[in-house]
Amino acid sequence: MIRALIRYLVFVLVAATLAYVGYRMLMPATIKTVTTEKTEKEEHSDSVAMSDAKVSAAGIELVKASPAVLHDALLLNGMVQPNQESLVQVTPRFPGIVRDVRKRIGDHVQKGDVLAIVESNQSLTPYELKAALGGTVIDRQTTLGEYVSEQKPAFVIADLSTVWVDFSVYRRDLGRVSVGDQVLIDPADGKPPIEAKISYVSPVGSSETQSAVARAVVVNFEQRLRPGLFITGRLILSAKPVSVAVKSTALQTIENRTIVFVRSGDKFEARDVEIGDRDPDFVEITFGVLEDDVYAAKNSFIVKAEMAKGGADND
């Protein structure tokens, strides 16, 4: 009886040992398989295939990462004004009746061009109103048959090849603005900003707005700046060159990771990046993207959406 019990216990012990050894031999393979499948899944989820046609149709802008200059800037609001040093008011020399009007608002004139003919009340003889400056007629205060006198200008002519841009600077920022500072003016016409310099800072301020005027004299040969329109400008306070930068619109977030989609062949790869300084347009990349890497700059959220769908390339 005792021998039978001993043999039974030995059998159970041997069976348990064999089972444990078998489990230990099989477990690493299982873990390895699961890990491999998980890694492959993660690698697949970090890239998405999109053909060139699909990229173009989605409006995704492809740009090369490159060095850039980041600007610490002060945003200013202002208004375009005619350059008062290149503006004249044409006033009749003698009171009389307008017998002929030769120029209208918007007409370009040369110095000496006849603007109107006035019949003098004193001599009853006509005389000519002539342009004293070459430029554009921006105002006219007379019509045919109207009585005019030296009390009121009949025409205003401005040379719009240069204009004044008057920015309002609030009192808290006045200490940061100086003559000679660079300002980037955005005419909101889809073209690059216009570079100019502050040429005048008013020594007095406005009691109503608690601000003072900072003026830039801007070359306006392309007529991008029109007097009377509001404008915005970025006053450059400092400039920092960086080795690699991407557009701010390129940054996306996936599972708390900051990424940039880099184009490789027909695929976008989600690169984890570390960022440094930034301004409203560009972000410094300290790790993750190299110079000349092609990345999705505009509409990069579309690449993120494609990746979330599993990367199906449904052209």
Side-chain angles (χ1 to χ4, degrees), residues 2-297:
I2 293 176
R3 290 181 178 180
L5 181 58
I6 291 173
R7 285 196 297 269
Y8 175 77
L9 291 175
V10 171
F11 173 80
V12 171
L13 181 61
V14 171
T17 301
L18 292 175
Y20 176 78
V21 172
Y23 171 77
R24 294 291 296 174
M25 293 177 64
L26 291 174
M27 186 173 63
T30 304
I31 293 175
K32 182 177 180 180
T33 302
V34 172
T35 303
T36 302
E37 290 176 354
K38 182 178 180 181
T39 302
E40 291 176 352
K41 184 177 180 180
E42 289 178 350
E43 290 178 353
H44 177 71
S45 66
D46 277 350
S47 65
V48 60
M50 294 183 69
S51 66
D52 292 339
K54 190 167 186 177
V55 169
S56 178
I60 299 171
E61 180 186 21
L62 299 179
V63 178
K64 284 187 177 181
S66 62
V69 178
L70 305 182
H71 298 109
D72 179 18
L74 177 65
L75 186 64
L76 299 174
N77 295 315
M79 178 178 286
V80 182
Q81 309 275 8
N83 185 338
Q84 297 295 318
E85 296 177 355
S86 301
L87 179 146
V88 295
Q89 297 179 344
V90 181
T91 304
R93 289 175 296 163
F94 310 105
I97 304 299
V98 178
R99 296 305 184 189
D100 188 16
V101 178
R102 304 275 180 91
K103 300 298 181 180
R104 291 166 175 78
I105 294 177
D107 287 350
H108 296 279
V109 298
Q110 300 296 325
K111 182 178 181 179
D113 284 355
V114 177
L115 306 175
I117 305 295
V118 180
E119 182 182 277
S120 172
N121 280 353
Q122 297 176 359
S123 63
L124 299 181
T125 57
Y127 68 90
E128 298 173 335
L129 283 181
K130 294 184 178 181
L133 175 77
T136 303
V137 178
I138 64 171
D139 191 20
R140 192 188 79 179
Q141 295 293 329
T142 186
T143 59
L144 185 65
E146 183 181 3
Y147 173 81
V148 294
S149 72
E150 65 275 16
Q151 303 299 319
K152 185 178 71 172
F155 294 86
V156 178
I157 300 173
D159 180 1
L160 299 179
S161 60
T162 62
V163 295
W164 286 356
V165 179
D166 288 349
F167 295 105
S168 296
V169 183
Y170 292 108
R171 60 188 304 170
R172 65 175 179 271
D173 296 319
L174 283 172
R176 307 170 71 187
V177 181
S178 303
V179 172
D181 287 349
Q182 184 184 25
V183 61
L184 302 179
I185 301 170
D186 182 12
D189 57 1
K191 297 180 180 180
I194 300 172
E195 295 186 11
K197 291 185 180 295
I198 298 297
S199 59
Y200 166 79
V201 178
S202 174
V204 297
S206 168
S207 60
E208 296 180 355
T209 62
Q210 291 297 294
S211 65
V213 170
R215 176 176 298 147
V217 180
V218 186
V219 176
N220 191 37
F221 289 126
E222 296 182 5
Q223 302 294 302
R224 294 176 61 191
L225 300 173
R226 297 177 182 269
L229 296 183
F230 291 106
I231 208 78
T232 59
R234 285 197 295 133
L235 185 78
I236 305 304
L237 302 176
S238 65
K240 175 189 175 183
V242 297
S243 300
V244 180
V246 299
K247 291 187 176 182
S248 301
T249 51
L251 297 183
Q252 295 292 333
T253 302
I254 297 179
E255 296 178 351
N256 296 323
R257 300 154 49 206
T258 301
I259 61 98
V260 170
F261 291 108
V262 176
R263 184 77 165 166
S264 178
D266 63 346
K267 292 184 177 181
F268 283 104
E269 176 189 353
R271 293 264 190 95
D272 291 272
V273 296
E274 294 179 4
I275 63 175
D277 292 328
R278 63 192 303 164
D279 67 12
D281 299 318
F282 290 94
V283 178
E284 178 187 11
I285 302 297
T286 59
F287 175 80
V289 175
L290 301 177
E291 184 177 352
D292 291 332
D293 280 348
V294 178
Y295 67 93

